[in-house]
Amino acid sequence: MAPHYVSRVTTSIVLLLIASLILTPKSCSSKPISQQTSSDVDLLEFPLNLEYLEAEFFLYGSLGHGLDVVAPKLVEGGPPPIGAKLAKLSASIRDVIYQFGLQEVGHLRAIKSTVKGFPRPLLDLSKSSFAKVMDSAFGRPLVPPFDPYANDINFLLASYVIPYVGLTGYVGANPLLQNATSRKLVAGLLGVESGQDAVIRTLLYERHSSVVKPYGVSVAEFTNHISTLRNKLGKDGLKDEGLMVPIGQGAEGRVLGNILAGDKDSLSYPRTPQEILRIVYGSGNECVPGGFYPDGGNGRIAKSYLKLT
């Protein structure tokens, strides 16, 4: 083979390799947070991403406005949420959701009183954002698109999507915290977050056989689809369960009803920040923002993954 031909072939291969490196996105680190250098500050700041989301969704849903009116200093100049609005709720459900919203204000203040924190990230709480979640959960477009603000059941189903993810994050963070002040704060946050999830699940459980109009699907089936999606996006096995499960998966393997999610010993499942980002981004990848966070989350942990894209 002529030397100049070999040279041309070698050059072509090198150019192809360079093009491949340029066009292929960098892989995202899958190293568990426990193996990274993360301080208590990082682990306490990260949940602010979820607390901002919950505060805005619950306040807007019950009042028609959010933190910019209720507690403007807490947002630190962060952009207002996209598409959040007043929901069409009954008086009793509105009262519960309003209480949740005010509780989230307290959570934000408690975390920011302990660590510096960061401004509110850009949040997408629009109808289309929730519709995409439900479409992904069912593996097909729902017709008409799901509207979380349309009525009690829709709003409760949309609420089912949020607090549980946060509480699993607190369960996962707790054993990694080094000082008593941090553990005390997380224990207090976890107690109320798990309470919110329990109330939402109870309200839905009371309606578990009701059909979600106009989809012809029961409330319980909706929750099962949502939980299956979160397990899929989280990519770390079973950590999410709907309101009805196979009898062997229920408490002590004796019941179909599953008013609270838990493992074989009825203990809450833990999730890492990576798993949470995969879920709330809706991408299944902690390095690829989207879903409720168009620009990704704030704080060192969330931003460290964004830098890998």
Side-chain angles (χ1 to χ4, degrees):
M1 185 179 291
H4 66 278
Y5 180 75
V6 173
S7 178
R8 286 200 302 272
V9 171
T10 303
T11 300
S12 297
I13 292 173
V14 170
L15 290 173
L16 285 172
L17 288 172
I18 293 173
S20 174
L21 289 172
I22 293 173
L23 294 174
T24 303
K26 295 178 182 178
S27 61
C28 191
S29 169
S30 59
K31 184 185 293 184
I33 197 71
S34 59
Q35 296 177 20
Q36 298 183 12
T37 304
S38 294
S39 66
D40 280 19
V41 172
D42 296 328
L43 293 168
L44 292 178
E45 284 188 331
F46 178 77
L48 284 171
N49 289 295
L50 277 296
E51 299 290 357
Y52 276 123
L53 175 66
E54 294 174 51
E56 295 292 10
F57 185 58
F58 293 144
L59 289 173
Y60 266 96
S62 60
L63 298 175
H65 55 253
L67 290 169
D68 289 308
V69 174
V70 177
K73 290 184 179 179
L74 290 176
V75 306
E76 297 184 44
I82 299 168
K85 59 184 284 188
L86 180 68
K88 297 176 182 177
L89 303 176
S90 64
S92 61
I93 298 299
R94 185 179 307 281
D95 177 47
V96 170
I97 299 304
Y98 177 49
Q99 291 181 48
F100 285 178
L102 294 178
Q103 290 164 5
E104 298 307 331
V105 172
H107 289 181
L108 289 167
R109 185 176 60 250
I111 295 173
K112 286 170 174 274
S113 296
T114 306
V115 294
K116 184 175 183 297
F118 48 74
R120 173 182 57 195
L122 179 62
L123 302 168
D124 186 351
L125 297 174
S126 63
K127 294 190 296 183
S128 62
S129 181
F130 281 94
K132 289 175 184 176
V133 172
M134 298 306 182
D135 289 350
S136 296
F138 280 85
R140 58 181 171 81
L142 296 183
V143 180
F146 182 85
D147 180 359
Y149 302 104
N151 52 57
D152 284 355
I153 286 183
N154 282 25
F155 195 86
L156 288 171
L157 286 169
S159 298
Y160 178 90
V161 173
I162 302 171
Y164 180 75
V165 177
L167 83 85
T168 58
Y170 286 131
V171 174
N174 191 55
L176 305 180
L177 297 169
Q178 298 301 307
N179 70 68
T181 299
S182 301
R183 292 194 294 271
K184 179 181 178 182
L185 174 60
V186 166
L189 292 164
L190 176 58
V192 174
E193 290 292 332
S194 59
Q196 289 178 353
D197 180 63
V199 170
I200 292 167
R201 291 181 73 100
T202 298
L203 290 170
L204 288 171
Y205 191 77
E206 292 173 345
R207 301 160 171 80
H208 73 273
S209 60
S210 298
V211 172
V212 183
K213 298 178 181 179
Y215 308 113
V217 175
S218 72
V219 167
E221 189 174 346
F222 250 88
T223 65
N224 290 342
H225 279 287
I226 294 167
S227 288
T228 297
L229 174 66
R230 291 190 298 209
N231 283 325
K232 178 182 176 182
L233 292 173
K235 297 181 178 178
D236 196 25
L238 175 66
K239 295 189 177 181
D240 218 302
E241 300 168 340
L243 293 176
M244 303 296 290
V245 294
I247 194 165
Q249 194 176 317
E252 296 301 297
R254 298 183 183 186
V255 287
L256 295 170
N258 196 45
I259 198 165
L260 295 178
D263 64 13
K264 63 181 178 61
D265 295 317
S266 292
L267 301 178
S268 293
Y269 295 103
R271 280 194 171 112
T272 65
Q274 297 98 308
E275 293 170 68
I276 290 172
L277 292 173
R278 292 167 195 160
I279 293 167
V280 298
Y281 288 174
S283 64
N285 188 329
E286 60 269 35
C287 296
V288 180
F292 297 121
Y293 299 84
D295 295 336
N298 276 348
R300 193 195 72 82
I301 292 176
K303 287 187 175 298
S304 69
Y305 292 113
L306 294 177
K307 292 176 181 178
L308 297 175
T309 53

